[in-house]
Amino acid sequence: MSQTYFTLKDILSQMREQSSDARDIVTRAWEFAQKAHDGQKRLSGEPYFQSHIASTGYYLAEAGMDASSIAAGLLHDTIEDTQITPEELEKEFNAEIRFIVEGVTKLGTIKYRGMERHVESMRKLLVATAQDLRVIIVKMYDRLHNMQTNKFHEPERQKRKALETMEVYVPIAERLGMGNIKAQLEDLAFATLEPEKYEELTHRIDERKKEVGHRIDEDIKDLKKTLGESGLRDFRTEYRVKGVHSFSNKAHERYNDDLSAVLDLFALRVILKNTEDCYRALGIVHGLWRPIPGKVKDYIAFPKPNGYQSIHTTVITRRGVTVELQLRTELMHRDAQYGVASHFNYKQSPSPHTSKKTTFEWLQNLIPNLRRRTMPTQNGVPTPRWLRDLSYTQEEHPESQTFEDILKKDVFAERIFAFTPKGDVIDLPLAATPIDFAYSIHSDVGDTMNGAKVNGKMASFESTLKNGDVVEILTSKNAKPNHKWLGVVKTAGAKSHIKSALKKEEEENSH
Ligand code: MN
């Protein structure tokens, strides 16, 4: 096998900007894991450590993750596949690395059993995330390498892993802005799930590449020359062909499967020094080539919900090729590829254009209905205090806090996420009760509540909910709120609903 493996040196060279302590801990993790996995082989016959473990660690370093994540990536299979215990990891490294490795190990126990189980998987992933987003990022790169080597498994298992990747991991990668890994996972899964379609599309994309490839090369030369002549010096270009799956998706959703109608099969990226240069370049490009009307999108001024920023425009070049241009800064480029992962790098204070993106917003990307629950628009319930605290924290100490600090401190210290039996996420303050949960669903549910089950067992109304609890509220038409509840609930919303229900009842009784 002519496979070359990533080495410790490769990983350390991706960590150039990190401290020597950071490199040291990664070096120790490398040596520790190498010893622990000694003699183990993958199904492909390759050595387990050099192939799977080294790749996972390398991808994390490449994405710009911090030393703890890279070390945890190197150690991620030690608990499951070797004699190493969580306690040993903590002793040898630290509690943080232990936590990430244990989290990844727990996620590994989720088995994919079709759609209804999918919700359950998502739930577990989200709970893990709510405690430390790095757990999910390490898991994501573990999955990437597993998908790259998926073909060595039996066909049925290949399909199952591919389906799970498509339904669970791809959407998460998308929501965390991790464009690079999303595109890779999506194409790997697609190739397994629909091999014929994948083949056909790959073939057609290759044909088209052959047809116009050299013309595009010439066009790129023109563009560079013109940009340079206009005084833009500090820039580079990158040319790429759209992923097979996203190509197929777009053709299907928008153009009735007409592949030739997809205009942005070829994307030409121009990576510039700053935002002003991006806008200048847009003007220059439109002077050089003919833009297609209605295709200019300014995601710099209006970022996508996952934080993506760039200016897009589709043009017809002088040699008659339709190309999508993406104009962006180096930082936007990094963000577009690695998303949240690129924010974990050691001591790097939030960049100007990302500093507004809070943990809450990342989390909102993962939990679509979070906004609905926490930003009530009815009954005048105010924006939760913790949300205001969050923006306060960031404005107050913008340079002294890393993204990671903010992540650890804010939301998760004071909030819990509980789930309905169907998997909806309910966001609550610490020490919230089943009564708070019931009122967060709907005031009618709270007003008619007559029992609660937590994780399948009957629980008292005033019990304290924990992160990840599944809560089922039992209701009865004749049930009524009771005065005692007022002293128990933690949310303002529940309190005000209980008061108004009690008042209404008093009025009815007095007549
Ligand atoms: Mn693994």
Side-chain angles (χ1 to χ4, degrees):
M1 196 161 289
S2 63
Q3 181 77 45
T4 54
Y5 300 118
F6 292 112
T7 63
L8 175 60
K9 217 173 129 210
D10 294 330
I11 293 178
L12 295 179
S13 79
Q14 291 291 336
M15 295 176 68
R16 275 182 304 266
E17 290 163 28
Q18 303 204 28
S19 69
S20 60
D21 281 356
R23 286 198 294 271
D24 185 54
I25 203 161
V26 167
T27 304
R28 284 200 292 122
W30 173 280
E31 284 159 1
F32 187 90
Q34 189 168 35
K35 219 160 119 196
H37 288 288
D38 187 42
Q40 292 179 354
K41 283 201 169 17
R42 297 213 100 202
L43 272 184
S44 59
E46 296 178 280
Y48 198 91
F49 177 82
Q50 281 82 351
S51 161
H52 180 63
I53 301 299
S55 300
T56 307
Y58 179 81
Y59 295 149
L60 288 160
E62 189 189 33
M65 294 292 287
D66 63 317
S68 295
S69 306
I70 301 168
L74 293 169
L75 297 163
H76 83 269
D77 277 328
T78 53
I79 297 178
E80 199 174 343
D81 295 337
T82 77
Q83 304 300 315
I84 307 296
T85 64
E87 291 73 24
E88 279 174 82
L89 284 184
E90 181 164 348
K91 217 177 119 221
E92 193 74 28
F93 299 95
N94 54 45
E96 193 174 294
I97 289 176
R98 171 191 174 164
F99 182 86
I100 301 173
V101 175
E102 275 195 292
V104 174
T105 307
K106 281 181 205 149
L107 289 179
T109 62
I110 300 169
K111 295 278 179 288
Y112 186 79
R113 296 192 198 84
M115 247 353 242
E116 76 264 36
R117 285 282 152 187
H118 166 72
V119 172
E120 175 76 3
S121 316
M122 285 297 277
R123 185 177 77 77
K124 286 189 179 161
L125 287 171
L126 290 168
V127 175
T129 306
Q131 291 173 22
D132 193 329
L133 206 48
R134 289 176 296 179
V135 170
I136 216 170
I137 295 170
V138 172
K139 182 69 197 169
M140 202 90 86
Y141 286 100
D142 168 43
R143 173 53 60 104
L144 175 61
H145 186 260
N146 284 334
M147 284 303 292
Q148 287 168 345
T149 51
N150 196 21
K151 60 174 186 277
F152 297 103
H153 289 282
E154 296 162 14
E156 204 206 307
R157 190 191 139 109
Q158 282 186 35
K159 284 243 156 43
R160 207 172 60 232
K161 288 283 167 193
L163 201 60
E164 185 185 71
T165 299
M166 201 65 118
E167 285 173 3
V168 180
Y169 290 90
V170 169
I172 291 176
E174 153 97 50
R175 284 169 201 158
L176 293 178
M178 301 165 76
N180 196 358
I181 192 170
K182 180 204 161 232
Q184 290 185 65
L185 286 175
E186 184 169 70
D187 277 3
L188 288 163
F190 186 47
T192 306
L193 293 170
E194 297 182 71
E196 280 143 38
K197 200 164 168 196
Y198 181 86
E199 276 301 308
E200 191 212 318
L201 285 164
T202 311
H203 179 70
R204 295 194 57 169
I205 291 173
D206 284 346
E207 296 259 282
R208 188 100 181 98
K209 239 177 4 195
K210 261 185 242 154
E211 217 176 288
V212 299
H214 71 281
R215 282 193 270 159
I216 293 186
D217 290 341
E218 290 302 307
D219 284 324
I220 292 175
K221 281 185 202 155
D222 286 357
L223 175 68
K224 282 182 169 169
K225 192 162 162 264
T226 310
L227 289 175
E229 282 166 2
S230 313
L232 290 176
R233 302 246 176 262
D234 203 357
F235 69 87
R236 62 189 175 92
T237 59
E238 219 185 77
Y239 159 54
R240 84 175 181 121
V241 179
K242 206 180 186 65
V244 183
H245 185 260
S246 83
F247 175 55
S248 148
N249 245 2
K250 200 153 185 181
H252 183 69
E253 281 167 15
R254 302 215 197 146
Y255 306 108
N256 227 342
D257 284 316
D258 176 5
L259 299 176
S260 60
V262 180
L263 295 178
D264 54 358
L265 175 59
F266 303 102
L268 179 54
R269 286 173 186 150
V270 186
I271 297 147
L272 299 116
K273 199 175 60 193
N274 53 39
T275 306
E276 286 117 72
D277 281 3
C278 296
Y279 287 105
R280 272 190 66 200
L282 178 69
I284 297 165
V285 166
H286 283 180
L288 179 67
W289 296 327
R290 181 130 79 106
I292 295 179
K295 288 284 181 184
V296 183
K297 284 168 220 142
D298 185 353
Y299 296 121
I300 291 183
F302 304 100
K304 287 189 181 178
N306 67 5
Y308 176 85
Q309 287 190 301
S310 271
I311 299 171
H312 289 191
T313 180
T314 305
V315 298
I316 302 170
T317 67
R318 204 173 68 117
R319 292 170 184 81
V321 188
T322 308
V323 196
E324 181 184 80
L325 264 110
Q326 302 173 347
L327 310 167
R328 50 172 74 155
T329 65
E330 199 66 60
L331 209 61
M332 291 171 193
H333 184 54
R334 243 199 113 60
D335 268 6
Q337 292 190 81
Y338 303 114
V340 69
S342 67
H343 295 255
F344 278 93
N345 210 338
Y346 78 115
K347 299 216 171 58
Q348 179 184 298
S349 57
S351 62
H353 87 278
T354 53
S355 60
K356 286 191 201 108
K357 193 156 188 74
T358 60
T359 309
F360 175 74
E361 287 168 311
W362 283 116
L363 209 60
Q364 260 186 331
N365 290 335
L366 273 186
I367 309 175
N369 55 4
L370 201 56
R371 180 182 292 277
R372 188 154 54 81
R373 305 288 188 201
T374 55
M375 306 264 233
T377 50
Q378 47 184 354
N379 304 322
V381 182
T383 306
R385 188 182 57 82
W386 64 279
L387 189 54
R388 292 194 307 256
D389 288 352
L390 197 59
S391 44
Y392 172 79
T393 313
Q394 287 207 305
E395 278 160 22
E396 194 80 345
H397 312 284
E399 69 297 313
S400 62
Q401 292 205 323
T402 62
F403 180 74
E404 194 186 315
D405 287 338
I406 294 166
L407 192 68
K408 275 192 206 141
K409 264 183 243 154
D410 52 44
V411 184
F412 312 128
E414 294 177 27
R415 306 296 295 182
I416 60 157
F417 298 94
F419 299 84
T420 68
K422 283 185 181 159
D424 280 337
V425 183
I426 308 290
D427 161 37
L428 294 163
L430 211 63
T433 65
I435 307 171
D436 292 296
F437 184 93
Y439 279 104
S440 297
I441 296 175
H442 196 280
S443 57
D444 289 347
V445 178
D447 287 346
T448 56
M449 171 178 183
N450 77 339
K453 278 186 178 174
V454 177
N455 301 324
K457 289 195 193 110
M458 291 305 294
S460 78
F461 284 24
E462 60 267 34
S463 57
T464 302
L465 296 177
K466 290 187 309 297
N467 213 7
D469 279 347
V470 177
V471 185
E472 186 182 349
I473 302 296
L474 310 172
T475 57
S476 144
K477 245 188 274 170
N478 304 320
K480 287 187 187 86
N482 141 356
H483 264 110
K484 259 182 22 199
W485 291 9
L486 285 172
V488 176
V489 294
K490 299 290 181 301
T491 52
K495 212 164 257 178
S496 80
H497 284 304
I498 296 167
K499 276 185 194 155
S500 65
L502 290 171
K503 205 171 143 205
K504 212 169 117 197
E505 207 204 334
E506 258 169 48
E507 278 165 9
E508 274 164 16
N509 288 346
S510 65
H511 289 300

